[in-house]
Amino acid sequence: MNMMARKISPGARNISIGVAVVIVLAVMGGLLGYFLTRGNRFLDSSPLNSTTLDPSLHKSFWGIDYTPLNAQFPICGSKQQDITEDIKVLSQLTSRLRLYGMDCNQAEFTLQAIQDLKVDVKVVLTVWVDGNSTTYQRQSQDLFNTIKRFGPQHIYGISVGNEAFFRKEISHQELYSHISDVRQQLKGLGYNIPVTTSDLGSNYTPELMNHVDFSLANIHPYFAGTLVSDAANWTLNYFQQNIVVPSKAAGRQAIISEVGWPTKGDPERGAVASMANLQYFLDNFLCQANSQGIEYFWFEALDEPWKTQQFTVLEGNWGLLTTDRKLKAKIPNCPIS
Ligand SMILES: *[C@@H]1O[C@H](CO)[C@@H](O)[C@H](O)[C@H]1NC(C)=O
Ligand SMILES: *[C@@H]1O[C@H](CO)[C@@H](O)[C@H](O)[C@H]1NC(C)=O
Ligand SMILES: *[C@@H]1O[C@H](CO)[C@@H](O)[C@H](O)[C@H]1NC(C)=O
């Protein structure tokens, strides 16, 4: 440092003193930050290890649908530390997550958490689409910024929209053109990531199957009004007949993008929302589906209180976990084969 200082002009010396002051301040700031956060377990993003794993959790889900709290644009309040805490739990239940949108940094925070925790999790990212064309523009821009930042290694696939046909917010041609736009841009980056859309099983026509790289169908025994005792069988039969068979004929992989059971809200004919029925359906569906090699995303990770406010109590209560990450049911132990 002295050797250097001797050779440089007084003006430059002032600059180097300035730089030194900045460095000292930065180090002090770093130490202060370290002491402030040391006692705060919410900021611990170290890799999980055998002492930090929760023995009540089992990796018994092929995949899980995940919407973080406070990720409803334009009211964004999602935080890296909350999403990291979610991923600590979810990565002990599954190796695959599916998000519903790009807004509020939810995809970035999820991929950052996976990277920090060094967990083996891949994500289906969704570019949410609705009747407002700015939504697709904003979300697809976020998608490509995120992919450029994190690379493709933790991305399972991209879904352009969820239930956009069901809500009648977009024409088939418009959605197909978004799907091919995303596919082209991915190819331009040199990434071979499959692109699709998710919609109700009843909207998954052979025509749609020809426009996607894999089928992603929401199949809900609850909305079909089945008794919980028939729900697993109904789901597996519906999926096989209406999605797997025609997808195979079109040369496509078929995945259930939503299957689950709510714990609160109005009944739908024979289907009754309760904690006991969530447990029953988990016990009957998971191990059977896993042993048959069925690929599915369980709907869903966390309860969503914003849906209770905006829609119904039923919509807000499908979580495996409460919003403070408490399990609502005992997780069956049946590994994915
Ligand atoms: C396990 O993780 C915890 C929390 O990050 C850490 O404090 C502990 O040192 C780790 N133990 C081992 C054996 O790596
Ligand atoms: C579309 O969304 C943008 C962004 O939220 C909003 O500013 C605009 O008013 C919306 N347009 C319509 C027609 O709703
Ligand atoms: C499940 O469905 C199959 C085929 O539809 C049927 O043969 C079988 O009896 C059903 N099992 C139960 C437990 O309902």
Side-chain angles (χ1 to χ4, degrees), residues 73-74 130-135 138:
F73 182 86
D130 56 25
N132 185 333
S133 62
T134 69
T135 307
R138 183 180 72 246

Side-chain angles (χ1 to χ4, degrees), residues 35 49 54 87 90 107 130 148 181 194 222 235 278 319 322 331:
F35 286 113
N49 62 44
D54 179 343
I87 301 302
L90 296 174
D130 56 25
K148 282 174 196 158
D181 174 40
Y222 197 87
T235 304
L278 168 62
T322 59
I331 304 300

Side-chain angles (χ1 to χ4, degrees), residues 3 32 35 45 54-55 88 115 124 151 164 166 205 242-243:
M3 294 285 286
L32 186 66
F35 286 113
S45 58
D54 179 343
K88 284 184 189 175
Q115 194 171 298
V124 170
F166 169 63
T205 59
N242 299 287
I243 311 296

